């Protein structure tokens, strides 16, 4: 609704020249990325190009070696632990494997952030959790099951319900469709689009599943060898004029991206 | 020449690795202990650990203490008859159990039972990103996972050892009375005359230290587990081996402090 004024708004996420290396391996070599409020940004790229590390740096799970990461204009790389916990309250995260707590029943998983982060009473939190479980298309009866009793697709949905339970500002999706059959993958894609829209949240997704990217994204960024090499609207993806992007979206073995370079490095 | 150099560099690398692990473990311990005194506290998790670490370790510790007490009576009797010193059996049993054997053996049994399960559980949580998930849900993993285990280990092991003391001494008593034909009154008065408060107290303090060490090593190795099933397996092994060795080292150090 404020798209005409986007250029004057403070970006939701602003990464500037972010570097990170593990031992002698430079994973991020100067990542620059800006995500505007309400936008759904999808980062695409091959395995081992730094997608996950980028996401974990924004989340604060990994501390970058240099560069700044601003959330709503505040640099998160220098804030103390307490402010960091407050910041986490703005975030929701859908982990690749679901990362549900297997010692807790489904409803407590969904309500976890409400009970411990937002200090909601258990009864209230359970009601919200059941509402969110329904929002991801599942019945109330799964609430008292344990995560191990659910199939992979159901676990992903519950994990999505947990990610949206606290009505976060920014939701992160780590390869949301990996390990799912094509139909379930599409169900998850639809749910992601619906949930992000309903909350008016900003989305940041990393994936190598192009069907998923096309469905979820407003904007796409391509990461290669630790740098963002192309950013554009989803509608421009097919005529990006970038041979790396073309090779990736068409899944060709031949092209400028050499897979064996992973092993040589 | 190169063989010698290689040998030296290997020894050096091992020592450096050892020193850096000691540093990392100390830093981890310091950070964990700091979180014990600052809320929020997860009381439900703490009680679950009391049950897991304390209550469910009772059978193992009880059996260990019982048979250790029994074998002590038998061994010291057969040894002491050579010097006509059978009267010392009761004293040897009670001192060995309370000062040394109950705390050390209970510590080692708990290291195998609890240390391994903590490392495997927290390691699996690390590998499946559940620890990252805690952080993103605004819950500090130190407070939620590590503090309850450390507190429960430190408080529960002395209680287990106290029970082990009683069972162990009773084991020695059974063998002495029923198999070695000691008199009931004589054995009991011998036991009570030998025993001093410091014998029991030193054993309980040792137990608290061992409980802390076992849970610390379980948490540390689980928390820093490598990737995949292999990583969790290695974390479990390292937790048991390192806590067992630390129990033996600290046992010597504490004995030196108490009785010299």
């Amino acid at each position: 609704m404020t798209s005409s004024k986007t250029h004057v708004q403070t970006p939701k996420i602003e990464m500037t020249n972010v570097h990170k290396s593990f031992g002698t391996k430079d994973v991020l070599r100067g990542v620059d990325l800006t995500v505007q409020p309400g936008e759904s940004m999808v980062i695409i790229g091959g395995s081992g190009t730094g997608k996950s590390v980028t996401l974990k740096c924004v989340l604060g799970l990994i501390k970058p070696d240099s560069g700044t990461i601003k959330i709503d204009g505040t640099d998160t790389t220098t804030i103390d632990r307490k402010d960091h916990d407050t910041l986490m309250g703005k975030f929701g995260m859908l982990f690749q494997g679901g990362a549900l707590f297997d010692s807790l029943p489904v409803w407590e998983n969904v309500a976890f952030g409400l009970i411990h982060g937002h200090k909601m009473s258990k009864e209230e939190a359970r009601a919200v959790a059941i509402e969110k479980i329904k929002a991801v298309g599942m019945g109330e009866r799964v609430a008292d099951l344990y995560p191990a009793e659910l199939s992979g697709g159901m676990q992903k949905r519950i994990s999505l319900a947990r990610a949206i339970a606290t009505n976060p500002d920014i939701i992160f999706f780590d390869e949301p469709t990996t390990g799912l059959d094509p139909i379930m993958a599409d169900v998850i894609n639809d749910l992601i689009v619906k949930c992000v829209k309903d909350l008016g949240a900003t989305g940041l997704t990393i994936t190598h599943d192009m069907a998923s990217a096309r469905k979820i994204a407003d904007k796409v960024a391509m990461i290669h060898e630790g740098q963002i090499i192309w950013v554009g609207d989803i509608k421009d993806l097919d005529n990006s004029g970038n041979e790396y992007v073309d090779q990736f979206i068409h899944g060709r073995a031949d092209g400028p991206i050499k897979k064996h370079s992973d092993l040589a490095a | 020449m190169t063989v010698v150099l290689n040998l030296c560099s290997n020894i050096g690398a091992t020592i450096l690795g050892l020193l850096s692990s000691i540093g990392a473990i100390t830093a981890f311990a310091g950070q964990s202990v700091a979180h014990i005194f600052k809320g929020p506290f997860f009381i439900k998790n703490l009680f679950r650990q009391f049950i897991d670490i304390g209550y469910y370790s009772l059978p193992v510790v009880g059996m260990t203490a019982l048979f250790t007490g029994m074998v002590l009576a038998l061994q010291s009797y057969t040894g002491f008859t050579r010097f006509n010193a059978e009267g010392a059996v009761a004293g040897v049993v009670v001192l060995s159990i309370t000062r040394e054997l109950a705390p050390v053996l209970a510590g080692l049994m708990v290291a195998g039972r609890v240390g391994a399960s903590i490392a495997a559980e927290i390691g699996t949580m690390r590998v499946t990103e559940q620890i990252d998930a805690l952080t993103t849900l605004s819950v500090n993993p130190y407070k939620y996972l590590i503090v309850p285990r450390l507190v429960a280990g430190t408080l529960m092991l002395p209680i287990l050892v106290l029970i082990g003391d009683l069972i162990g001494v009773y084991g020695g008593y059974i063998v002495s009375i029923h198999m070695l034909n000691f008199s009931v009154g004589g054995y009991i008065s011998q036991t009570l005359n030998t025993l001093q408060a410091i014998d029991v107290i030193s054993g309980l303090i040792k137990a608290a230290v061992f409980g802390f060490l076992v849970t610390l090593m379980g948490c540390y190795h689980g928390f820093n587990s490598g990737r995949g099933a292999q990583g969790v397996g290695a974390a479990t092994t390292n937790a048991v081996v390192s806590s067992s060795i630390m129990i033996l080292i600290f046992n010597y150090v504490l004995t030196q402090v108490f009785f010299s």
Side-chain angles (χ1 to χ4, degrees), chain B residues 173-193:
Chain B
Y173 169 87
I174 293 173
V175 170
S176 303
I177 301 302
H178 296 287
M179 293 180 61
L180 307 174
N181 298 319
F182 279 77
S183 77
V184 174
Y187 191 90
I188 292 178
S189 69
Q190 255 282 303
T191 301
L192 294 178
N193 287 340

Side-chain angles (χ1 to χ4, degrees), chain B residues 103-120:
Chain B
V104 172
L105 292 180
L108 293 175
M109 296 311 278
V110 170
R113 210 191 79 81
V114 173
S117 91
I118 290 177

